[in-house]
Amino acid sequence: MSVFNRDDDDGLSRGARALVALPERAGDSQRSAEARLDEAAGLAAAIGVDVVEKLAFKLRDPKPATLFGSGQVDQIALAARMGEAQLIIVDAALTPIQQRNLEKATEAKVIDRTGLILEIFGERAATAEGRLQVELAHLDYQAGRLVRSWTHLERQRGGFGFLGGPGETQIEADRRLIRDRMAKLRRELEQVRRTRGLHRARRQRAPWPVIALVGYTNAGKSTLFNRMTGARVMAEDLLFATLDPTMRQISLPGVDKAILSDTVGFVSDLPTQLVAAFRATLEEVTGADIILHVRDIAHVDSDAQADDVLTVLGDIGVGPKAPDGEAGEGAPIIEVWNKIDMLDPDTRAATEAEASRREDVVILSALTGEGVDDLRRLVSDRLSTGNRVRTLSVPIGDGATLAWLHAHGEVIGQEVEGEAMIVEVRLSDKDLARFEAR
């Protein structure tokens, strides 16, 4: 389902020309207007839309009818005509009334930030769960816009029987159909979640630690994932290049085997319709042993992007703050400052100096491979941190369990007592839990 496709039969396609309009309100964002416009243009480029003009407008008093002031609307309309733009992208959330009024005033299609991100997710989602989540989000988004998007819905259908009243209007019927479809999708998603939960439980019983990559979209997670695993996950200079989580085996110094998980990129002002889908994708993070927070350290808004990532992690109970404001629980977080190859010498020297003062930071270039070995060593050290000597009893004929202990811990000593092998082994709490689950 596409937010572009409406009844006027001139749905936009790749290569369409667009204008981006940014409403700036005091205290709205830590980011500069230029950076926000660039991100909106990047989102448009992710679905093949060609942005021909970017405009920012100061808003003192947002207008209920159009959001922008009348003079600003005229300026947007003029710029769209001059640039031959068929689409106007407003980098904010619009009400259905505002969207309809702006389309009338500018004589162009208008979509807001929510519609744009939904369009990207609809194009990129590859897994069954991803497609279900995106369709559910689209239906939720479109339900409030039926009155403006579907012109045929004004008609009424006749009632039942000879004395039936005006009957159910077409718009009411379609809303009912949407509600029914959304209920069906939610049931299907619940089944998918239960299946995923079973898979996750099996992984928890497996002997291998899980390392999750998180970060703002286009920070370089997929490039780092490919570098560390030798995989060929799509990695381009493009917002939301990958949406669905991917897991691969990696080797680390002193660690027999580990699993690296690449997750969807974060973005500021994520549409409310996609928050549930986003959290479902990030469920993999909650069970990770270590979280690698990949940052584009060369980006002008790197700090603001990091705050957005930590906010979402806090929302799912991982990271500095949990939803109730208490300290979050979960795996330790290592910050990976990526794209150091894009820094000028002075900035790079300052960045390296700052990183050297912190134990939770690694600087690297996923593109060139510089610093990736340092990351491997740090992850390996963190996985073994907190290891304590445990005394365990293993049936003397259970060679598989003994081999597991040798592979995932440091066996200090062992001796036979009757029908059991008493093993002294250095293990982390996580590995002990895995041992007990075997």
Side-chain angles (χ1 to χ4, degrees):
M1 184 181 292
S2 169
V3 294
F4 290 159
N5 295 331
R6 303 196 189 133
D7 291 322
D8 44 11
D9 294 327
D10 61 345
L12 296 173
S13 59
R14 287 186 169 273
R17 296 167 67 85
L19 176 147
V20 175
L22 169 68
E24 285 190 276
R25 285 170 280 199
D28 231 9
S29 174
Q30 304 178 49
R31 295 174 172 79
S32 65
E34 182 181 1
R36 292 168 65 191
L37 285 169
D38 286 344
E39 180 173 283
L43 290 169
I47 51 172
V49 172
D50 180 21
V51 174
V52 296
E53 182 69 86
K54 296 180 290 186
L55 300 173
F57 299 93
K58 298 283 188 183
L59 289 189
R60 291 195 184 90
D61 183 24
K63 305 300 180 185
T66 55
L67 182 63
F68 299 95
S70 57
Q72 294 171 334
V73 173
D74 291 341
Q75 188 176 343
I76 292 170
L78 177 61
R81 286 195 296 272
M82 295 288 290
E84 298 181 351
Q86 304 107 311
L87 173 68
I88 295 171
I89 300 169
V90 178
D91 192 35
L94 293 175
T95 66
I97 296 293
Q98 290 170 340
Q99 195 168 355
R100 179 183 62 189
N101 290 337
L102 285 172
E103 286 188 338
K104 286 182 178 179
T106 60
E107 298 181 346
K109 286 184 182 292
V110 175
I111 63 171
D112 60 4
R113 184 180 178 88
T114 299
L116 182 59
I117 294 177
L118 284 171
E119 192 73 19
I120 299 170
F121 273 56
E123 184 175 291
R124 300 284 172 75
T127 64
E129 182 183 14
R131 289 191 292 269
L132 289 171
Q133 291 283 11
V134 169
E135 184 180 354
L136 182 60
H138 266 300
L139 289 171
D140 186 28
Y141 178 73
Q142 291 286 18
R145 287 165 164 73
L146 291 179
V147 70
R148 57 164 294 282
S149 297
W150 297 2
T151 55
H152 70 281
L153 301 182
E154 303 289 337
R155 299 190 297 272
Q156 290 186 328
R157 294 194 295 211
F160 295 98
F162 295 106
L163 300 177
E168 182 181 43
T169 63
Q170 182 69 48
I171 193 169
E172 288 168 349
D174 282 334
R175 280 187 175 140
R176 175 173 51 79
L177 290 172
I178 283 180
R179 285 195 301 270
D180 291 345
R181 177 62 180 162
M182 290 173 71
K184 183 175 184 292
L185 287 173
R186 289 191 178 101
R187 289 193 297 270
E188 292 179 13
L189 280 168
E190 187 57 35
Q191 181 58 47
V192 172
R193 285 200 184 101
R194 282 198 294 268
T195 303
R196 176 186 279 183
L198 293 173
H199 291 167
R200 188 180 301 109
R202 281 199 291 270
R203 284 200 302 273
Q204 289 294 332
R205 292 194 296 271
W208 310 301
V210 175
I211 302 137
L213 292 172
V214 301
Y216 206 82
T217 184
N218 208 31
K221 296 183 308 304
S222 295
T223 303
L224 180 60
F225 182 85
N226 290 343
R227 173 69 63 177
M228 295 183 73
T229 65
R232 294 184 179 179
V233 172
M234 179 183 178
E236 296 184 11
D237 185 16
L238 196 67
L239 298 181
F240 293 121
T242 52
L243 289 184
D244 297 297
T246 307
M247 306 184 86
R248 293 287 190 279
Q249 175 184 327
I250 61 170
S251 60
L252 297 168
V255 177
D256 179 53
K257 187 187 294 185
I259 303 297
L260 187 65
S261 173
D262 184 18
T263 61
V264 64
F266 293 35
V267 69
S268 64
D269 301 323
L270 189 73
T272 55
Q273 288 90 347
L274 276 174
V275 169
F278 206 62
R279 287 177 181 167
T281 302
L282 290 172
E283 284 175 358
E284 300 296 341
V285 178
T286 62
D289 295 86
I290 287 182
I291 297 171
L292 302 184
H293 176 190
V294 183
R295 293 178 54 182
D296 178 356
I297 204 63
H299 197 284
V300 64
D301 286 324
S302 182
D303 289 340
Q305 291 179 352
D307 288 343
D308 287 328
V309 172
L310 293 177
T311 296
V312 177
L313 289 178
D315 286 344
I316 62 173
V318 178
K321 287 188 179 180
D324 58 4
E326 298 296 322
E329 299 180 353
I333 298 177
I334 295 175
E335 286 199 4
V336 180
W337 292 0
N338 188 27
K339 304 189 183 183
I340 58 167
D341 53 305
M342 297 179 65
L343 299 176
D344 62 73
D346 291 341
T347 305
R348 174 167 175 153
T351 301
E352 289 174 342
E354 182 179 354
S356 67
R357 293 191 290 269
R358 295 178 52 177
E359 295 181 351
D360 62 340
V361 170
V362 173
I363 59 173
L364 55 77
S365 168
L367 187 63
T368 67
E370 180 184 1
V372 173
D373 286 342
D374 295 334
L375 176 61
R376 290 181 187 274
R377 283 191 291 271
L378 180 58
V379 171
S380 177
D381 290 344
R382 289 299 174 89
L383 287 174
S384 60
T385 297
N387 288 2
R388 293 187 310 212
V389 175
R390 329 275 181 165
T391 301
L392 305 173
S393 177
V394 180
I396 199 165
D398 190 352
T401 297
L402 289 172
W404 188 95
L405 290 173
H406 278 274
H408 298 90
E410 179 188 352
V411 175
I412 298 170
Q414 56 189 47
E415 61 181 21
V416 178
E417 282 190 8
E419 297 297 318
M421 179 75 73
I422 306 302
V423 183
E424 286 194 351
V425 57
R426 194 182 303 277
L427 282 177
S428 68
D429 292 338
K430 283 262 189 180
D431 281 333
L432 179 63
R434 290 192 179 98
F435 170 81
E436 292 172 344
R438 286 174 60 83

